[in-house]
Amino acid sequence: MNFSNFKNKKILITGHSGFKGMWLTIYLLSLGSNIIGISLKPTVYQKKLLKKMRKVKSYFFDIADQNKLKNTIKNNQPDYIFHLAAQPIVSESYKKPLDTWKTNVIGTGNLLNSLRYLKKKCTIIIVTSDKCYEIKNKKKITFLKETDALGGKDPYSSSKASTELIFKSFFYSYLKEKKNISIVSVRAGNVIGGGDWSKDRIIPDCVKSWISKRKLYIRNPNFVRPWQHVLDVINGYLILAKEISNSKKFNGESFNFGPEKNSIVTVKKLCKIFKYYWIGPSKIYIKNNKKFFETKILALSIAKVKKCLDWKPFLNLDNSLNLTASWYNKYYKNFDVFDIYFEQIKYFKNLCKIKK
């Protein structure tokens, strides 16, 4: 896949300091893009990385601030926008539901509203989640399609369903007839990879427990998720962005990005495979300590992206967890963090035979 269309382009990424945002930022830097990033105040880890990125112009504010967001977009006139900024943690959404809805729904609404006043040609990817769907069958795997009903019983899931609704509303009310705007939404499965430090996510929980030689307790061992590596997801976002920048064929549509069926497994199985690739002591303890509601089984149909974009995941679950374990093991051996990112990006590019 040739991604030369991103070279020297101005690309705005909301949430650029987050887990997926950081991978996307570094990937696009490797393609020669000029990045404008919007995030909340960075952590020590994020600040250290961003400080080294000279081609990244960073802004730190809450996307719920409509005027700041609108002015940042207007003043920078990006060629592409990848909207990843969100409150992404289910457990946190129970503690702070209004903050979750404010960021995920109102924040996205602010971004969409800003596009009404953008005169330059711009391609936009709105990132939501596989958890935006209404789950009807709790006992067997159902591969959710883009046309299935939206919904969500927990605050996080409902915020993502609402994000999809506000996207569609803005598209049909304001953006559809704008010749300079091409926009889609994307729904990815459970994304894994190095550099994720989020609370109450299984891979960071494994890493933090094992590196400190503590017991790892699995909250929901039998829950099933569509696990996929962050680089497969980013590859999909870039392919889609390139496609809609050249054609209005898929304008206003939504796309699932998920793994092949053999990578849809339980949390317990994921941990066991990750343990195999981890270097050092690692123990797993089952603890059915369900503190809040979460959907038990999630799986995505990726038939649409395969047919429309000729996209497919290049990394199976073993490859993904091997890369992830390698990332963290090198990090704790004090390898240069940028080298770890770029090494894995280079490996993935070679795997996909992507040309700069």
Side-chain angles (χ1 to χ4, degrees):
M1 187 69 190
N2 191 323
F3 285 149
S4 60
N5 57 299
F6 294 109
K7 189 173 183 178
N8 297 322
K9 297 294 185 181
K10 289 199 287 186
I11 301 179
L12 188 147
I13 303 172
T14 68
H16 74 306
S17 66
F19 163 50
K20 274 202 293 184
M22 191 69 78
W23 275 101
L24 179 59
T25 297
I26 296 172
Y27 200 113
L28 284 166
L29 286 175
S30 77
L31 298 174
S33 305
N34 298 309
I35 308 299
I36 304 125
I38 299 173
S39 290
L40 294 174
K41 185 179 179 181
T43 64
V44 173
Y45 168 80
Q46 293 166 344
K47 193 173 183 179
K48 186 178 178 181
L49 274 176
L50 291 171
K51 195 174 181 180
K52 291 185 177 182
M53 301 184 197
R54 295 179 182 178
K55 280 196 172 183
V56 177
K57 187 178 181 181
S58 294
Y59 296 85
F60 300 111
F61 62 86
D62 192 331
I63 59 169
D65 189 323
Q66 182 180 358
N67 288 330
K68 278 189 178 180
L69 185 58
K70 180 181 174 181
N71 289 333
T72 302
I73 292 173
K74 182 181 176 182
N75 293 337
N76 285 280
Q77 294 291 308
D79 299 292
Y80 294 86
I81 297 175
F82 291 87
H83 176 51
L84 283 75
Q87 193 298 97
I89 307 299
V90 176
S91 60
E92 190 68 14
S93 77
Y94 276 98
K95 296 173 187 175
K96 298 179 180 179
L98 295 182
D99 286 345
T100 300
W101 286 315
K102 183 178 77 170
T103 299
N104 296 357
V105 184
I106 301 303
T108 302
N110 287 341
L111 183 136
L112 292 165
N113 192 52
S114 299
L115 300 177
R116 295 170 61 191
Y117 310 100
L118 196 62
K119 299 190 181 197
K120 182 180 179 180
K121 181 184 175 184
C122 190
T123 300
I124 304 100
I125 304 289
I126 303 292
V127 178
T128 64
S129 169
D130 60 344
K131 294 174 181 64
C132 70
Y133 291 106
E134 181 182 354
I135 310 298
K136 294 180 180 179
N137 193 326
K138 299 178 182 178
K139 295 182 180 180
K140 67 177 184 178
I141 294 179
T142 301
F143 291 90
L144 298 159
K145 302 185 295 294
E146 290 85 349
T147 52
D148 286 335
L150 301 172
K153 292 183 178 179
D154 61 272
Y156 173 75
S157 299
S158 68
S159 78
K160 288 301 184 179
S162 300
T163 300
E164 288 285 350
L165 290 173
I166 201 170
F167 156 62
K168 293 293 185 184
S169 175
F170 264 89
F171 176 74
Y172 286 108
S173 299
Y174 306 107
L175 305 176
K176 185 179 179 181
E177 303 305 321
K178 285 181 71 67
K179 293 180 180 180
N180 62 313
I181 297 294
S182 295
I183 185 169
V184 293
S185 72
V186 292
R187 306 159 182 176
N190 282 55
V191 182
I192 58 175
D196 187 1
W197 305 104
S198 303
K199 183 183 177 183
D200 290 335
R201 277 195 188 148
I202 190 60
I203 293 297
D205 285 351
C206 288
V207 170
K208 291 169 188 175
S209 296
W210 294 340
I211 206 69
S212 59
K213 298 179 181 179
R214 289 187 286 108
K215 295 178 179 179
L216 167 68
Y217 289 100
I218 304 177
R219 187 174 67 248
N220 296 310
N222 297 317
F223 279 25
V224 175
R225 292 290 183 266
W227 311 100
Q228 59 189 324
H229 196 272
V230 62
L231 287 172
D232 262 328
V233 178
I234 285 171
N235 185 44
Y237 294 171
L238 295 178
I239 290 172
L240 181 55
K242 180 180 178 180
E243 177 67 27
I244 66 168
S245 71
N246 296 324
S247 168
K248 290 278 190 177
K249 185 178 180 181
F250 303 120
N251 200 24
E253 295 192 22
S254 299
F255 289 84
N256 288 340
F257 287 96
E260 300 288 5
K261 293 180 181 180
N262 57 5
S263 291
I264 302 173
V265 301
T266 64
V267 175
K268 183 179 178 181
K269 185 170 182 180
L270 176 93
C271 291
K272 285 185 175 181
I273 299 171
F274 190 48
K275 178 183 174 183
Y276 174 80
Y277 291 109
W278 183 258
I279 298 172
S282 52
K283 292 184 179 180
I284 299 171
Y285 294 83
I286 306 302
K287 186 179 182 182
N288 288 295
N289 186 17
K290 192 176 179 181
K291 296 180 180 179
F292 47 82
F293 173 82
E294 288 183 90
T295 301
K296 186 173 182 180
I297 299 173
L298 271 173
L300 293 175
S301 167
I302 54 174
K304 183 177 179 180
V305 287
K306 284 185 172 182
K307 180 181 178 181
C308 297
L309 301 177
D310 197 27
W311 175 88
K312 65 177 181 179
F314 284 91
L315 298 165
N316 61 28
L317 190 56
D318 275 276
N319 298 147
S320 300
L321 289 170
N322 190 6
L323 276 176
T324 303
S326 175
W327 195 101
Y328 285 108
N329 280 312
K330 287 182 177 181
Y331 175 84
Y332 283 108
K333 288 179 180 177
N334 294 317
F335 279 63
D336 183 273
V337 181
F338 265 109
D339 288 345
I340 309 172
Y341 276 109
F342 279 114
E343 178 188 25
Q344 295 202 348
I345 289 170
K346 183 179 179 181
Y347 165 81
F348 185 79
K349 284 181 180 179
N350 289 335
L351 188 68
C352 304
K353 296 181 180 177
I354 293 174
K355 296 179 181 178
K356 287 181 68 175

